[in-house]
Amino acid sequence: MSKDGQLLVVALGGNAIQKPGERGTAEEQRSNIMTACRHLASLMERGYRLVLTHGNGPQVGSILLQNESARDLVPPMPLDVCGAQSQGLIGYMFQQSLSQALRERGIHTPVVTVVTQVRVSAEDPDFLDPSKPIGPFYEEEEAQVLVREKGLVVKEDAGRGWRRVVPSPDPIGIVERGPIRQLVDGGSVVIASGGGGVPVVEGPGGEMEGIEAVIDKDLAGECLARDVDADGFMILTDVEGVAVDYGTPMQRFLDRMTASEAGAYDAEGHFREGSMGPKVRAGIRFVRSGPGRWAIIAGLDHAEEAVMGGAGTRLEAD
Ligand code: ADP
Ligand code: MG
């Protein structure tokens, strides 16, 4: 496996920023991000070039709650603006931490964040039956007020209370792909498409309108990987890899699978919606998008071994 100059898009999961049980203070987030950045810096030390993307669930959730709580003092911002805000705050922390982790290794590559819009289709089927829960939990009565007064869609979330749900449309393309490629070609590490990017629909005159939806960050990361012509797509999460029969006594983690094998396991229902499902589907799309392209789904703590083939689940074209 030659690595010199190989370009990797790395998608970081929620655990790279906030761990379960944490309140999400700035100190906690900085410390988690620093740990993640040490792994990323060791990949770069081995000769890989990186483009990063990341989740934003807890962070945009906090921003929505802040907007909600202060609504009588400051006008609340819509979801697309809150998403852009989360890209900035998370990107800023990664810029500082990754630059620091690289400096510790004598590497002086610039790190820059691009606030990213991702195009979706106004005809996406998910608009008809929104599926992605976001923001705070409500009592049933409060939830019904949101429906009546603001026309929001709410659903009961697994016995934990009521939540707003928004569509999760499929990404079509990265609006800022040109400038992102220029930055990558110029030698920068680029952080882009955070939280799946801000979903936008293109109007008849080419204008982009932000919409109230959330794109899956792994599917958007795959779009980004194609757009920057990456060699590899790495999804780093909080499990060691992809398992069949996950969470049952038969559970078995896989070292590798072809795109067709992965598709067959997916059809048999081995990968949960909203978590492992979109990761595997993103991996399948990427390895099928061009010759020699590979994808890895692995634990963040084992990023270095994973890229050498010693950890995680590797996806290859048939
Ligand atoms: P991230 O924030 O990294 O995107 P997710 O929670 O969305 O993390 O996805 C990772 C989770 O996927 C794991 O913690 C695991 O519980 C779940 N999961 C569902 N199906 C599988 C599977 N077949 N193999 C491994 N993990 C799975
Ligand atoms: Mg996820």
Side-chain angles (χ1 to χ4, degrees):
M1 200 182 306
S2 126
K3 59 181 160 41
D4 276 338
Q6 276 209 21
L7 182 63
L8 306 186
V9 168
V10 179
L12 294 162
N15 67 322
I17 310 173
Q18 188 172 335
K19 307 265 185 225
E22 288 180 349
R23 286 183 60 233
T25 64
E27 291 73 20
E28 285 167 345
Q29 297 195 41
R30 274 184 198 284
S31 150
N32 295 326
I33 286 175
M34 194 64 213
T35 304
C37 286
R38 295 216 163 90
H39 292 294
L40 299 173
S42 20
L43 293 179
M44 290 187 62
E45 202 170 30
R46 286 156 205 243
Y48 293 100
R49 296 179 297 134
L50 302 186
V51 170
L52 306 178
T53 190
H54 57 80
N56 72 345
Q59 293 73 32
V60 80
S62 301
I63 294 170
L64 289 168
L65 187 54
Q66 287 163 353
N67 275 270
E68 188 78 8
S69 325
R71 62 180 314 111
D72 298 330
L73 298 173
V74 186
M77 291 295 129
L79 183 57
D80 59 323
V81 177
C82 293
Q85 188 180 341
S86 78
Q87 289 184 349
L89 81 89
I90 297 169
Y92 163 66
M93 291 196 281
F94 270 102
Q95 284 176 207
Q96 283 192 337
S97 300
L98 185 56
S99 299
Q100 176 59 23
L102 289 173
R103 223 171 6 251
E104 288 168 2
R105 289 164 174 76
I107 303 172
H108 299 278
T109 306
V111 184
V112 61
T113 303
V114 175
V115 174
T116 311
Q117 306 172 83
V118 176
R119 239 160 22 84
V120 301
S121 162
E123 265 85 62
D124 193 285
D126 221 73
F127 285 106
L128 301 175
D129 184 21
S131 58
K132 171 81 184 166
I134 56 157
F137 287 89
Y138 300 100
E139 299 291 333
E140 183 166 1
E141 240 152 68
E142 297 172 282
Q144 294 312 330
V145 173
L146 297 178
V147 177
R148 273 199 310 275
E149 292 181 3
K150 294 206 281 178
L152 302 186
V153 182
V154 298
K155 281 186 184 165
E156 219 269 335
D157 190 344
R160 297 185 295 171
W162 290 73
R163 276 179 104 183
R164 180 175 178 199
V165 288
V166 294
S168 187
D170 212 27
I172 297 175
I174 309 281
V175 175
E176 290 78 14
R177 61 178 289 190
I180 292 171
R181 285 184 71 129
Q182 285 175 359
L183 287 162
V184 171
D185 291 344
S188 295
V189 173
V190 182
I191 301 158
S193 187
V198 180
V200 293
V201 168
E202 187 171 355
E207 71 279 10
M208 298 296 169
E209 191 195 341
I211 54 162
E212 304 269 313
V214 172
I215 303 172
D216 179 85
K217 74 111 178 29
D218 297 308
L219 293 174
E222 193 276 328
C223 257
L224 178 65
R226 266 183 290 129
D227 277 352
V228 299
D229 204 13
D231 301 289
F233 179 38
M234 258 191 125
I235 300 178
L236 297 176
T237 182
D238 59 359
V239 272
E240 64 182 87
V242 182
V244 287
D245 296 311
Y246 182 74
T248 76
M250 315 255 289
Q251 167 176 306
R252 182 167 58 90
F253 282 92
L254 305 169
D255 294 337
R256 55 180 57 236
M257 54 187 177
T258 64
S260 304
E261 286 165 352
Y265 288 134
D266 190 21
E268 288 168 15
H270 287 280
F271 314 130
R272 215 177 288 153
E273 281 317 315
S275 60
M276 193 50 77
K279 293 185 202 314
V280 172
R281 282 161 226 155
I284 295 174
R285 282 186 193 176
F286 184 67
V287 301
R288 285 186 170 157
S289 69
R293 288 181 168 171
W294 51 271
I296 289 177
I297 300 169
L300 172 60
D301 301 344
H302 298 283
E304 296 92 329
E305 291 111 284
V307 89
M308 303 294 293
T313 304
R314 194 179 172 96
L315 258 142
E316 281 161 354
D318 297 304

